[in-house]
């Protein structure tokens, strides 16, 4: 089946999801990102690969890390970046998403980086650009609803490859609020494509999407059992803002059963790494002693995220 993210030459046109993205494309993004980590060490942290390009950051939902790392990545590639503050823009006056896009196209946008609470918003924009003959403009999904967060998934894969080298013999556990997590969906898709033989999902039954097993994962409702012998622990934030109704007891009780403490982490392999996409809820899904401990690679994830976003943007622009 044709992948709508690839153009007819098989090159990346948009980055909307990691689901169905070919292995060689994912590996190529990770390979492209590696030299970009060195740019950050230089005194002049700039490469002219996106010189003269206009990139619009459209964040219809809150973000700190993702928005700023996209901005830094674009600036290090010498693009002109415009951050739209959507809460005070015309959207707040009732303008539709596609009208906003049309107006930014009239300003000669080259790329949109979009975060939206509605699953499917970046796909809708890409389809609109295609239908109106403006498919030279690229769309990057920076997180849509519960659907996908492809650059987060990619930076997570970059981090795992950095510390573990090879995906082919790993046991990886994703722990916590999988139900509301676009990050988990992108992680599972990428881990599967990259050939991780065992992907575990550890969560209370109320925070597991139905039919998650069809994504090729093993589910665990007991954290201690699930953590035994794993190489990588990927924690998820408890997404209170997406929680409709009472899916959970109190945060204190959640911490007691599902919080990653040093004692629970001991069940994983001694050299296991601990990841988290941020923002952290200390004392809810993760204990501070773990978050700040020797096995945590949470801040390197942020740093690698810049290089991975530089790789995605430069590849989309054909560089
Ligand atoms: C995640 C997100 O917004 O999807 N954070 C991020 O992008 N770093 C995860 C979350 O909010 O829990």
């Amino acid at each position: 089946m044709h992948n709508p993210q690839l153009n007819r030459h098989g090159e990346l046109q948009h980055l909307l999801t990691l689901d169905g993205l070919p292995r060689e494309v994912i590996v190529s993004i990770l390979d492209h990102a590696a030299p970009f980590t060195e740019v950050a060490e230089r005194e002049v942290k700039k490469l002219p690969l996106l010189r003269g390009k206009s990139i619009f950051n459209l964040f219809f939902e809150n973000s700190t890390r993702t928005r700023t790392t996209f901005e830094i990545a674009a600036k290090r590639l010498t693009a002109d970046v415009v951050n739209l503050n959507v809460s005070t823009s015309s959207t707040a006056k009732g303008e539709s998403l596609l009208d906003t896009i049309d107006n930014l196209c009239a300003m000669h946008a080259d790329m949109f980086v979009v975060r939206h609470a509605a699953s499917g918003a970046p796909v809708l924009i890409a389809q609109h650009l295609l239908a109106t003959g403006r498919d030279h403009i690229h769309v990057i999904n920076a997180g849509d609803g519960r659907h996908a967060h492809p650059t987060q998934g990619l930076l997570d894969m970059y981090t795992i490859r950095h510390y573990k080298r090879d995906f082919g013999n790993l046991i990886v556990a994703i722990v916590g609020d999988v139900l509301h997590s676009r990050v988990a969906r992108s992680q599972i898709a990428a881990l599967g494509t990259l050939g991780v033989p065992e992907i575990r999902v550890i969560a209370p039954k109320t925070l597991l999407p139905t039919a998650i097993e069809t994504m090729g994962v093993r589910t665990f409702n007991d954290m201690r059992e699930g953590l035994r012998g794993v190489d990588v622990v990927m924690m998820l934030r408890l997404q209170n803002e997406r929680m409709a109704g009472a899916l959970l007891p109190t945060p204190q009780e959640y911490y007691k059963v599902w919080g990653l403490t040093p004692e629970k982490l001991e069940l994983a392999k001694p050299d296991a790494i601990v990841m988290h996409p941020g923002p952290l809820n200390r004392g809810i899904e993760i204990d501070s002693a773990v978050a700040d401990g020797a096995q945590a690679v949470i801040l390197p994830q942020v740093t690698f995220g810049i290089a991975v976003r530089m790789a995605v943007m430069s590849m989309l622009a054909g560089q």
Side-chain angles (χ1 to χ4, degrees):
M1 200 183 71
H2 174 68
N3 188 320
Q5 305 184 96
L6 305 180
N7 66 19
R8 58 199 146 80
H9 308 292
E11 296 154 350
L12 204 57
Q13 173 67 21
H14 305 293
L15 183 66
L16 306 173
T17 173
L18 299 184
D19 239 327
L21 197 65
R23 185 179 179 278
E24 55 280 11
V25 176
I26 296 183
V27 171
S28 156
I29 294 170
L30 304 185
D31 291 345
H32 269 78
F36 288 136
T37 56
E38 284 152 32
V39 176
E41 318 276 321
R42 298 188 198 159
E43 201 170 301
V44 180
K45 299 179 182 47
K46 291 264 191 194
L47 279 175
L49 295 177
L50 292 184
R51 190 167 51 198
K53 302 274 186 208
S54 299
I55 300 184
F56 285 80
N57 256 339
L58 303 175
F59 280 67
F60 296 89
E61 203 189 70
N62 292 346
S63 168
T64 311
R65 261 159 298 270
T66 306
R67 197 192 62 73
T68 47
T69 51
F70 263 111
E71 181 175 350
I72 293 168
K75 285 182 169 161
R76 290 197 181 150
L77 294 169
T78 339
D80 295 314
V81 190
V82 180
N83 288 307
L84 248 80
N85 189 347
V86 180
S87 59
T88 56
S89 75
S90 302
T91 316
K93 300 183 188 168
E95 186 174 69
S96 82
L97 174 61
L98 295 182
D99 278 330
T100 304
I101 294 296
D102 285 343
N103 279 273
L104 300 175
C105 288
M107 301 175 201
H108 298 284
D110 293 293
M111 205 178 281
F112 295 118
V113 178
V114 184
R115 167 166 291 194
H116 205 289
S119 299
V123 176
L124 183 77
I125 295 170
Q127 284 168 340
H128 175 67
L129 293 173
L130 182 65
T132 53
R134 291 174 293 190
D135 50 336
H136 57 282
I137 304 174
H138 306 280
V139 180
I140 301 178
N141 181 2
D144 62 329
R146 299 181 189 186
H147 170 236
H149 193 349
T151 58
Q152 179 70 44
L154 289 169
L155 77 88
D156 291 337
M157 297 310 114
Y158 188 96
T159 307
I160 294 175
R161 193 171 82 163
H162 178 86
Y163 290 101
K164 298 288 167 195
R165 300 284 152 208
D166 189 19
F167 292 96
N169 51 9
L170 295 180
I171 307 178
V172 177
I174 300 171
V175 188
D177 185 359
V178 183
L179 180 65
H180 301 102
S181 180
R182 53 194 173 211
V183 173
R185 282 172 185 74
S186 287
Q187 290 169 336
I188 293 168
L191 291 166
T193 305
L194 292 171
V196 169
E198 188 169 342
I199 308 168
R200 299 182 184 177
V201 164
I202 310 174
K205 284 204 173 84
T206 49
L207 294 182
L208 264 184
T210 47
I212 180 98
E213 288 89 351
T214 58
M215 295 188 78
V217 300
R218 270 182 80 185
T219 58
F220 290 80
N221 300 124
D222 180 314
M223 196 169 175
R224 291 192 167 77
E225 212 182 294
L227 284 177
R228 210 152 277 144
V230 305
D231 298 281
V232 179
V233 188
M234 305 171 98
M235 298 304 298
L236 298 171
R237 182 174 65 87
L238 193 59
Q239 305 212 359
N240 277 313
E241 77 278 17
R242 289 186 216 279
M243 212 105 17
L247 291 176
L248 283 178
T250 63
Q252 293 77 13
E253 280 173 292
Y254 183 85
Y255 174 72
K256 244 169 72 195
V257 183
W258 301 102
L260 185 62
T261 55
E263 172 257 321
K264 286 193 195 118
L265 182 57
E266 272 187 26
L267 296 163
K269 292 220 178 102
D271 63 347
I273 53 169
V274 176
M275 301 168 60
H276 193 302
L280 295 176
N281 281 323
R282 289 171 184 266
I284 298 182
E285 73 266 357
I286 192 162
D287 188 299
S288 272
V290 175
D292 305 327
Q295 285 168 270
V297 298
I298 299 168
L299 294 175
Q301 280 177 271
V302 177
T303 308
F304 293 146
I306 299 172
V308 168
R309 289 175 174 129
M310 288 170 81
V312 170
M313 287 193 280
S314 56
M315 283 169 74
L316 289 179
Q319 301 293 332

